[in-house]
Amino acid sequence: NDKGPKVSTVLDQPYKEEHRKSGLIYSGIYNSTSGVNDLNQFLIAEKITKDVNPEYGSIQKLHARDTDLTVCCEDKVLRILANKDALYNADGDINLTASSNVLGQTIPYVGEYGISKNPESFVGYAYRSYFTDKARGAILRLSRDGLTDIAVKGMNDWFQNNLASSTVLIGSYEEDKDSYNLTLNSTTDYTVSFNEAAGEGGGWTSFKSFIPESGCSLNNVYYTFKNGLIYSHDYSTRN
């Protein structure tokens, strides 16, 4: 007797976990206004993946900037056009979702630079981003004019000598001074500061006396963290 169609079968290859180091996958959309939360939905029937060239190495850092997605690989920095159009009915139900527009064309930035394996060095502020490329001895600024190696602004030899021996490269942004602070953890620890207002195109202005584990700016006040403690660098309330 015919038992009907089989509902399960075996695969030609064993089913196993896969580590996709150069690919992206995205879920459904979230819209607080209409109460739609599909962040836990990954529909394989739709185009929900985006792969970049594996020759660029693994993806180390993603950063959203306006309608673009900055993708920092080990050996290349890319820009992926990001957008998602959804039409809603009056009751909030989705009428049409253009999922193919979530991640669009991949555009590499000019320059043979990446972020190596130091995503902790990345800082984004306004339309500028800063990060290191340890493998090439470069400190990079990503702005509207593309990638610029700012290590060459008077500190090229110093970074060539000290980046390679550093185990951790911690970036932070001091908003009130418009400075990118980079901490190098090596046999000797350093914190160096790059200021956009120092000369044409900015320059390295000083070595700092503090060696933070991380840092950030909030309401124009710069904070650093060390051994579980938070320090304010505001001149009126320094702690």
Side-chain angles (χ1 to χ4, degrees):
N1 295 329
D2 185 11
K3 297 181 180 180
K6 293 183 179 180
V7 296
S8 63
T9 185
V10 296
L11 300 175
D12 292 337
Q13 297 179 348
Y15 182 79
K16 61 181 180 180
E17 181 179 346
E18 179 185 7
H19 293 269
R20 298 174 61 87
K21 297 182 179 180
S22 57
L24 304 174
I25 183 171
Y26 45 86
S27 68
I29 66 173
Y30 173 80
N31 190 303
S32 60
T33 303
S34 57
V36 176
N37 185 359
D38 292 336
L39 295 180
N40 65 333
Q41 293 187 13
F42 295 86
L43 304 178
I44 60 175
E46 298 181 357
K47 185 181 181 300
I48 59 172
T49 60
K50 179 71 175 181
D51 292 314
V52 300
N53 193 334
E55 292 184 355
Y56 299 151
S58 62
I59 297 174
Q60 295 287 316
K61 176 69 179 179
L62 300 176
H63 177 67
R65 187 176 65 172
D66 296 330
T67 59
D68 297 339
L69 184 67
T70 301
V71 180
C72 299
C73 302
E74 293 179 52
D75 302 314
K76 198 72 172 177
V77 183
L78 312 167
R79 178 167 64 100
I80 298 180
L81 304 181
N83 189 24
K84 186 161 189 173
D85 299 326
L87 303 178
Y88 292 89
N89 296 324
D91 59 359
D93 292 335
I94 298 178
N95 183 31
L96 174 64
T97 302
S99 61
S100 61
N101 292 335
V102 177
L103 297 178
Q105 184 180 3
T106 301
I107 305 171
Y109 285 99
V110 176
E112 298 304 316
Y113 296 108
I115 200 172
S116 296
K117 292 187 177 181
N118 300 102
E120 72 278 5
S121 67
F122 187 96
V123 172
Y125 179 74
Y127 58 88
R128 296 191 303 264
S129 301
Y130 303 87
F131 53 93
T132 65
D133 188 353
K134 177 181 175 180
R136 296 160 185 82
I139 312 296
L140 299 168
R141 175 182 62 200
L142 176 59
S143 188
R144 291 174 179 172
D145 58 352
L147 281 172
T148 303
D149 182 7
I150 57 176
V152 301
K153 296 180 180 295
M155 293 280 284
N156 192 44
D157 290 341
W158 191 88
F159 280 118
Q160 289 284 351
N161 295 332
N162 289 278
L163 277 180
S165 60
S166 298
T167 55
V168 180
L169 300 167
I170 301 169
S172 60
Y173 198 83
E174 196 167 355
E175 188 175 297
D176 60 332
K177 293 183 174 60
D178 202 19
S179 297
Y180 170 63
N181 293 335
L182 178 64
T183 300
L184 296 82
N185 294 135
S186 184
T187 52
T188 303
D189 296 336
Y190 299 97
T191 297
V192 291
S193 183
F194 178 86
N195 189 279
E196 289 291 342
E200 184 178 354
W204 299 94
T205 55
S206 62
F207 285 84
K208 302 293 188 180
S209 60
F210 51 88
I211 308 296
E213 295 172 352
S214 63
C216 65
S217 290
L218 178 65
N219 295 332
N220 213 37
V221 178
Y222 181 58
Y223 299 94
T224 56
F225 302 85
K226 183 77 171 181
N227 298 326
L229 300 176
I230 181 173
Y231 297 87
S232 167
H233 291 252
D234 182 85
Y235 285 109
S236 61
T237 59
R238 175 168 292 184
N239 288 292

